[in-house]
Structure formats: C-alpha cells, structure tokens
C-alpha cells in the first residue's frame, strides 16, 4: 500500500524508511488547464458552443479542437467571443458561426476575473466583455472555469479592474460621470492602455474604462442599472446571475459549484 506523506512522521536511524515527497505545487496555468478540461466534459457532439476568451478559455478551445481531431466530438459549431478566439478556433479547424445564425447556444465555456459566493462574475479584463456577455447570455448553460485565486468575497474585492466598455466619443466625460456614480464605493477610474501606451481599442472599436473599488458595491443589480443608464456606456463587466456552473481548480483538487 502506498504511503502518504506525514510531516510529523518520525523514524529512527536504525529503521530507515523512504517517505514520499509531497506532490509538487501546481502552477496557475496548470490549474487553469485542469478546470478547462473538466469543463469540456460537458461538451457533446452536435452542440453549438460559445467559445470564451482569455488564458483559461484558451485551454478549453484547444481541448475541443483536440477532441474534434480525434473524432471524439462531431458536428460542433463554435461562436467565438473575440477575434483572438476566432483565430485560435480557425487554426484548430473548429467550424464557426455567429449569433445571427444561431441565436440560441447550447453551452458556453469561459473564464472569469472574479467569482463571488453567489456565482456573480467580473469579466472583461481581456477586453472582450461585450461579445462575451452577448454570447454567454444567449446560452442554455454557461460553465465558468477559474483557478482558486479568482474567488472573492464580493465583486471588486480583488482590488483589480472592474471594466466598463464605453464609446470613444468624449470618453473622458463618460469616465468622469462613471466616477461620480461610483464615488461612494471609493472608485478610481482609468482608461485602459495598450502595450505601447496607446488607448486600448476593443474588437467593437470602443474603449475600456477600468474601475478600481475600495468598498463592497452592495446591491449589484442597482449598481448595474446606474452604470448602464449613463450615456456613453456600452456595457460593464459584471456578469450577474449568468453562470450555471463554476469549476474551481485548486491545489487540492477541483470543486464544482452549481447555481
């Protein structure tokens, strides 16, 4: 029988015994891959799939392409949530379409930047929140894949960006109105910049204003409505009551949280 590692186990020099080393700590990318592969277990032949964007979703798209090559999946149609995912899927020979042709999607798989205890999400730090929300909102089932670092007590709790997509026209005006609406939550707003310092432009030709919050937003539905009422705002990155299942990969295994 295999021995388990016990850090308190003591043996004498007279009776040496080989103690197995503890398993190596998995990297964040390995945890993402574990969650992604588990999510692809939900995929069946003849499905229309929403294909997510980001480092975690990339593993899921790779896995779907692999299963198609192995003929373990057939007749899959993918709806990509970004140009980057579209390019990845095409390179894997995954057949693609769009919401106009397939307004109802069987299953979407995507990552998230934050997940709260009620399975509400922050998404869009990769800049694809509008297409993600359109496609995942049209899905019968939405499976979210994350590593354990993405779990938070409340949205915005990581102190990282909660993104808002805005039209380029007078974006500074819109950003200031957004800051005023969110001022009670200790909000700082910054326009997102690209790698070379230029303003980041989404696949839809819009800008992203990132909100950094010091306080819990409380009633997320109320905050959502306040943000969306602002002229110039296209969409925000809070995905409320949308996830059907969240798969969380951690150092000690995979946890599946269902709505």
């Amino acid at each position: 029988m295999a021995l388990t590692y016990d850090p308190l186990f003591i043996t004498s020099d007279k009776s040496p015994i080989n103690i197995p080393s503890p398993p190596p700590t998995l990297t964040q990318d390995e945890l993402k891959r574990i969650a992604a592969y588990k999510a692809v277990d939900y995929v069946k032949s003849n499905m229309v799939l929403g294909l997510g964007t980001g480092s975690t979703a990339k593993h899921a798209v790779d896995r779907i392409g692999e299963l198609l090559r192995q003929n373990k999946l057939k007749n899959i149609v993918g709806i990509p949530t970004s140009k980057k995912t579209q390019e990845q899927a095409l390179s894997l020979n995954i057949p693609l379409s769009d919401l106009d042709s397939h307004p109802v999607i069987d299953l979407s798989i995507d990552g998230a930047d934050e997940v709260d205890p009620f399975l509400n999400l922050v998404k869009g730090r990769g800049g694809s929140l509008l297409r993600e929300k359109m496609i995942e909102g049209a899905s019968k089932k939405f499976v979210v894949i994350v590593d354990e670092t993405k779990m938070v007590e409340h949205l915005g709790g990581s102190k990282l960006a909660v993104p808002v997509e805005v039209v380029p026209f007078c974006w500074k005006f819109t950003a200031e109105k957004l800051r005023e609406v969110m001022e009670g939550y200790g909000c700082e707003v910054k326009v997102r910049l690209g790698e070379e310092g230029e303003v980041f432009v989404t696949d839809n030709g819009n800008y992203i204003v990132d909100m950094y919050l010091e306080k819990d937003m409380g009633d997320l539905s109320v905050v959502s409505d306040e943000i969306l009422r602002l002229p110039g705002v296209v969409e925000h990155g809070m995905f409320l009551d949308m996830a059907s299942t969240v798969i969380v990969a951690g150092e000690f295994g995979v946890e599946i949280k269902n709505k």
Side-chain angles (χ1 to χ4, degrees):
M1 182 177 66
L3 294 171
T4 57
Y5 176 74
D6 182 354
L8 299 180
F9 184 89
I10 299 174
T11 184
S12 71
D13 292 338
K14 295 180 180 179
S15 57
I17 186 170
N18 292 324
I19 303 173
S21 299
T25 301
L26 295 173
T27 67
Q28 188 177 28
D29 192 61
E30 287 169 336
L31 293 175
K32 291 177 179 180
R33 185 182 295 107
I34 290 169
Y37 278 40
K38 186 66 177 177
V40 176
D41 287 346
Y42 289 88
V43 178
K44 307 299 179 188
S45 294
N46 304 306
M47 276 188 167
V48 178
L49 300 177
L51 305 177
T53 296
S55 58
T56 309
K58 180 179 184 299
H59 291 304
V61 177
D62 282 340
R63 179 61 172 163
I64 291 166
E66 180 183 15
L67 293 175
L68 283 169
R69 286 196 307 273
Q70 296 171 350
N71 288 321
K72 294 179 179 178
L73 285 177
K74 297 180 180 180
N75 301 321
I76 294 295
V77 175
I79 313 293
T81 55
S82 67
K83 293 179 180 177
K84 187 172 184 178
T85 299
Q86 179 180 359
E87 292 170 0
Q88 180 193 3
L90 288 172
S91 73
L92 297 168
N93 295 315
I94 298 175
L96 298 180
S97 188
D98 56 33
L99 280 177
D100 289 336
S101 300
H102 297 276
V104 178
I105 295 172
D106 296 305
L107 169 68
S108 283
I109 299 174
D110 205 352
D113 300 306
E114 293 183 0
V115 181
D116 77 5
F118 305 100
L119 306 190
N120 295 311
L121 318 171
V122 168
K123 289 177 52 55
R125 290 178 190 160
S128 302
L129 66 95
L130 176 58
R131 296 189 187 193
E132 288 173 340
K133 189 171 281 191
M134 291 176 67
I135 290 168
E136 288 148 13
S139 302
K140 296 177 183 177
K141 186 175 181 66
F142 176 27
V143 176
V144 178
I145 45 181
V146 295
D147 66 82
E148 59 190 353
T149 66
K150 303 302 173 63
M151 306 304 294
V152 295
E153 293 184 3
H154 58 83
L155 296 192
S158 69
K159 300 295 190 292
L160 298 175
V162 178
V164 179
E165 188 160 343
V166 303
V167 297
F169 175 75
C170 294
W171 68 264
K172 293 180 182 178
F173 171 85
T174 305
E176 176 58 22
K177 291 297 182 183
L178 183 62
R179 189 199 63 77
E180 291 175 2
V181 164
M182 302 297 290
E183 188 173 17
Y185 310 110
C187 179
E188 179 182 0
V189 298
K190 296 180 180 179
V191 69
R192 185 173 301 179
L193 301 178
E195 294 179 358
E196 299 181 4
E198 77 287 3
V199 176
F200 174 85
V201 179
T202 71
D203 286 348
N204 315 297
N206 297 317
Y207 293 171
I208 297 284
V209 173
D210 288 320
M211 304 188 301
Y212 298 87
L213 307 169
E214 291 295 328
K215 300 178 183 178
D216 186 343
M217 288 181 281
D219 191 328
L220 297 175
S221 295
V222 170
V223 174
S224 171
D225 290 343
E226 289 177 340
I227 293 173
L228 293 175
R229 278 200 297 267
L230 291 174
V233 168
V234 178
E235 188 55 86
H236 59 67
M238 293 186 291
F239 285 47
L240 308 181
D241 199 30
M242 289 180 62
S244 311
T245 298
V246 175
I247 299 175
V248 186
E251 185 177 352
F252 300 107
V254 173
E255 181 180 5
I256 299 177
K257 298 175 178 287
N258 291 305
K259 203 65 161 175

